[in-house]
Amino acid sequence: MNMRGDVAVILAAVDGERPSTRALSAFLRETRSVGGELILVDATRFGLEPESEFAPEIRRIPAARGRLVPELWAEGLRASETRWVAFSTTSMEPVDGWLEQLITCQERTDAAAVGGAITPASGLGRLDRAVYLARHAAYARPERDAEPAGDNALYLRRDLDRVASSWVDGFWEPEVHAALERIGASRVVDPAAVLHAIGGARAGELFPRRFAHGVRYGTTRPLGRTGKWRVLAAPLAAAAMAARARRGLKRASRPIRGFGPDVWIAWGVVTAAWLLGESVGIIRRRSHATKSATLNARLAEAV
């Protein structure tokens, strides 16, 4: 039985980035090709232009400005009822056959999560290239056993429902993937399922958003005994992130050019926003833990 139509692609559009006609038309082409549905969770001030020729075929879910991409993904996931659900953003553009490739890989492997590759589109500005280095370079040509990138991944809905508690407050893919792993569900990456990063970042919205992502990461990630030192180890973390980005560029199936010193300087600013947010998140978390421990001790003494 052909079930290709039982798929939804959920796109997040964040504040400060007008939903790209280029991205929407390309993703709509993909969903049309398999009879699927395109859902746009739109947190921008602009919205989807109603006169767009493809607007009637897109289910738009308005969202509050300032919300982060994983929060928008979770909103779209709650609104979908399909067998498969794929996630991306309006700063991406799929190559022909992207969605079919993901579905075919999922059927062949029976994996709960299938990811793909992300390569930079030509003509990106300096800031967008810096964002690519910070967020996507590791997926220029990922290993098959790599963790899928949230911006390019397809999931079996039945498995996501089994770990629904992991995406209550947002579809943060490392947390979802960890939950899937705990129930024995597998994941795989198909490098042939390619998205091009087409950018659209604006500095005024980008840096606060990266800071907010860092805060969320710092308040939720397991820290272990070394947690108190992570704030001081930010320079080492930046070096590790730079090395990871360089390895990703070198692994690409074709040379990726245009990432000179000016782009790496911009990358440093983008990364600093993240690391500062992570440090703030860690400090808040440890402060909360200390207050809770003190309160529990006082309660115990009272008893």
Side-chain angles (χ1 to χ4, degrees), residues 83-85 87 112-113 153-157 160 171 173 177 180:
R83 179 189 183 193
W84 293 289
V85 59
F87 296 96
L154 175 137
Y155 299 84
L156 268 177
R157 178 59 186 259
L160 291 183
F171 196 89
E173 67 270 18
H177 294 163
L180 289 172

Side-chain angles (χ1 to χ4, degrees), residues 9-12 27 73 86-90 92 98 150-152 195:
V9 175
I10 298 171
L11 296 183
F27 278 109
W73 282 338
F87 296 96
S88 193
T89 72
T90 55
M92 297 288 165
W98 163 78
D151 304 69
N152 185 1
L195 293 182

Side-chain angles (χ1 to χ4, degrees), residues 1-280:
M1 181 173 57
N2 184 358
M3 299 182 66
R4 283 292 192 268
D6 202 7
V7 58
V9 175
I10 298 171
L11 296 183
V14 294
D15 192 24
E17 298 178 5
R18 181 184 295 276
S20 165
T21 299
R22 174 179 171 183
L24 293 176
S25 60
F27 278 109
L28 187 57
R29 177 198 67 219
E30 291 297 299
T31 54
R32 283 172 177 166
S33 70
V34 297
E37 178 184 24
L38 184 59
I39 299 174
L40 174 66
V41 189
D42 188 356
T44 73
R45 68 171 68 93
F46 308 104
L48 179 62
E49 296 179 0
E51 66 273 14
S52 300
E53 59 178 296
F54 46 77
E57 297 183 66
I58 298 176
R59 177 147 65 110
R60 177 180 176 268
I61 300 175
R65 288 173 57 187
R67 297 183 69 188
L68 302 177
V69 166
E71 296 169 339
L72 303 181
W73 282 338
E75 190 75 14
L77 180 55
R78 285 188 285 268
S80 68
E81 298 179 348
T82 52
R83 179 189 183 193
W84 293 289
V85 59
F87 296 96
S88 193
T89 72
T90 55
S91 63
M92 297 288 165
E93 179 184 26
V95 302
D96 289 346
W98 163 78
L99 186 54
E100 177 73 30
Q101 189 75 28
L102 288 175
I103 294 174
T104 299
C105 181
Q106 192 287 312
E107 291 181 318
R108 184 177 68 250
T109 61
D110 198 33
V114 179
I118 301 175
T119 60
S122 60
L124 290 181
R126 179 172 53 191
L127 183 58
D128 284 324
R129 280 179 285 166
V131 171
Y132 179 81
L133 282 177
R135 300 191 57 225
H136 308 303
Y139 297 97
R141 192 183 178 189
E143 301 281 0
R144 289 190 63 83
D145 61 350
E147 182 173 351
D151 304 69
N152 185 1
L154 175 137
Y155 299 84
L156 268 177
R157 178 59 186 259
R158 73 179 185 215
D159 290 322
L160 291 183
D161 285 342
R162 293 174 62 192
V163 296
S165 62
S166 68
W167 45 271
V168 168
D169 66 343
F171 196 89
W172 303 88
E173 67 270 18
E175 297 170 23
V176 175
H177 294 163
L180 289 172
E181 186 175 347
R182 286 193 293 271
I183 65 171
S186 62
R187 67 189 189 217
V188 68
V189 169
D190 186 347
V194 180
L195 293 182
H196 294 316
I198 60 176
R202 300 186 183 186
E205 289 84 12
L206 171 65
F207 295 121
R209 192 159 60 243
R210 296 309 297 159
F211 175 83
H213 272 270
V215 171
R216 172 58 168 70
Y217 185 72
T219 56
T220 58
R221 65 157 292 152
L223 297 178
R225 295 181 178 179
T226 62
K228 63 182 180 180
W229 301 109
R230 285 192 60 83
V231 174
L232 300 178
L236 294 178
M241 293 165 76
R244 183 172 182 238
R246 289 185 184 278
R247 285 195 303 269
L249 294 180
K250 290 180 179 179
R251 277 187 46 79
S253 56
R254 61 182 62 182
I256 297 179
R257 308 189 188 283
F259 289 84
D262 59 330
V263 176
W264 281 100
I265 291 172
W267 168 88
V269 179
V270 172
T271 300
W274 165 279
L275 291 173
L276 178 60
E278 182 185 357
S279 298
V280 169

